[in-house]
Amino acid sequence: EPEVTQTPSHQVTQMGQEVILRCVPISNHLYFYWYRQILGQKVEFLVSFYNNEISEKSEIFDDRFSVERPDGSNFTLKIRSTKLEDSAMYFCASSTLVGGGNNQPQHFGDGTRLSIL
Amino acid sequence: AQSVSQHNHHVILSEAASLELGCNYSYGGTVNLFWYVQYPGQHLQLLLKYFSGDPLVKGIKGFEAEFIKSKFSFNLRKPSVQWSDTAEYFCAVRLDSSASKIIFGSGTRLSIRP
């Protein structure tokens, strides 16, 4: 079964530095998402992306965050001027239809653990 | 604000016991409902989903869930758990047909004693 893949599995970055998290969605999927899970807390929606544009974003996704689909396969999340509170597990997801509609759910990657020191 | 509530933070059961994990959401409109499972060290996996039709849905590994619209609930059940069911279980809701995001509950950690 095709999978969403994320790299790296663990990223350690100094506070204030920029970090890029990478995701390869399932190849025929059109909608892409980032979620994060701070240790011990719930999974939270960050952003959704379709047709090279952000479809929806949460209040967490401030101007330090950006997403990009630089080529036909990768989907990246960039965080500039990282803060300690950005430390979390970041999950990428993809789906064929918006939000995972019409019985086509979102598929999640293994996640990237981001540690800000 | 719309939210998803999972009232059981940690459930401990013996093998062969029956399981029911509660999930309630706060939203009056049409919803899509999901249960995801996260085994230790692994990614979120879809256990089952409800979009429309029969409110009793069956998922993988013997799990089922029932959507009760009047109670805004989507409880997860399994008649007889196994040690391999030890994992974190997340209830999630998509609020309407045009929404792109999923709202997750805080999760329930299930520990099965062998």
Side-chain angles (χ1 to χ4, degrees):
Chain A
E1 184 178 320
E3 292 184 344
V4 176
T5 56
Q6 291 185 241
T7 55
S9 57
H10 190 190
Q11 174 76 46
V12 181
T13 301
Q14 290 288 329
M15 185 174 62
Q17 298 298 304
E18 174 182 289
V19 65
I20 297 176
L21 310 182
R22 291 182 167 80
C23 169
V24 178
I26 295 173
S27 62
N28 64 335
H29 285 186
L30 300 176
Y31 293 84
F32 314 111
Y33 316 84
W34 283 100
Y35 292 81
R36 80 171 186 191
Q37 184 181 27
I38 295 172
L39 187 64
Q41 299 186 25
K42 63 175 67 176
V43 177
E44 302 171 290
F45 170 80
L46 292 179
V47 67
S48 60
F49 189 86
Y50 169 71
N51 199 26
N52 285 319
E53 290 183 347
I54 290 174
S55 305
E56 190 173 358
K57 61 182 181 179
S58 71
E59 62 275 9
I60 301 169
F61 195 88
D62 62 27
D63 56 8
R64 298 183 300 115
F65 291 77
S66 61
V67 290
E68 191 178 31
R69 189 156 163 80
D71 52 42
S73 60
N74 290 283
F75 178 52
T76 61
L77 173 68
K78 182 190 291 186
I79 309 174
R80 296 184 298 274
S81 303
T82 49
K83 303 177 180 180
L84 294 176
E85 53 263 39
D86 294 331
S87 295
M89 181 72 89
Y90 287 80
F91 293 101
C92 174
S94 68
S95 64
T96 53
L97 297 172
V98 60
N102 286 350
N103 246 0
Q104 298 296 322
Q106 296 181 23
H107 293 258
F108 286 79
D110 285 342
T112 293
R113 182 173 299 285
L114 176 63
S115 299
I116 305 299
L117 305 179
Chain B
Q2 295 84 13
S3 65
V4 179
S5 299
Q6 292 180 247
H7 304 294
N8 308 108
H9 297 295
H10 189 190
V11 173
I12 303 173
L13 295 173
S14 298
E15 277 196 309
S18 65
L19 169 72
E20 180 159 2
L21 301 182
C23 173
N24 289 90
Y25 64 92
S26 60
Y27 182 69
T30 302
V31 293
N32 300 151
L33 298 156
F34 309 87
W35 275 97
Y36 282 87
V37 60
Q38 189 175 26
Y39 297 103
Q42 297 187 28
H43 61 271
L44 288 165
Q45 300 175 42
L46 184 67
L47 207 52
L48 48 77
K49 58 188 183 295
Y50 171 80
F51 281 76
S52 63
D54 188 344
L56 183 62
V57 292
K58 296 190 183 299
I60 60 172
K61 304 185 181 184
F63 286 91
E64 65 177 33
E66 185 174 12
F67 170 48
I68 303 179
K69 190 174 181 180
S70 61
K71 294 184 178 180
F72 299 92
S73 70
F74 190 57
N75 292 355
L76 180 71
R77 299 195 293 252
K78 185 171 183 178
S80 176
V81 295
Q82 301 171 305
W83 179 79
S84 58
D85 293 325
T86 295
E88 185 110 20
Y89 291 81
F90 295 92
C91 181
V93 173
R94 177 169 166 256
L95 294 182
D96 57 46
S97 59
S98 64
S100 58
K101 69 181 181 184
I102 291 177
I103 300 172
F104 284 84
S106 54
T108 296
R109 185 155 63 98
L110 176 64
S111 300
I112 305 298
R113 291 190 293 252

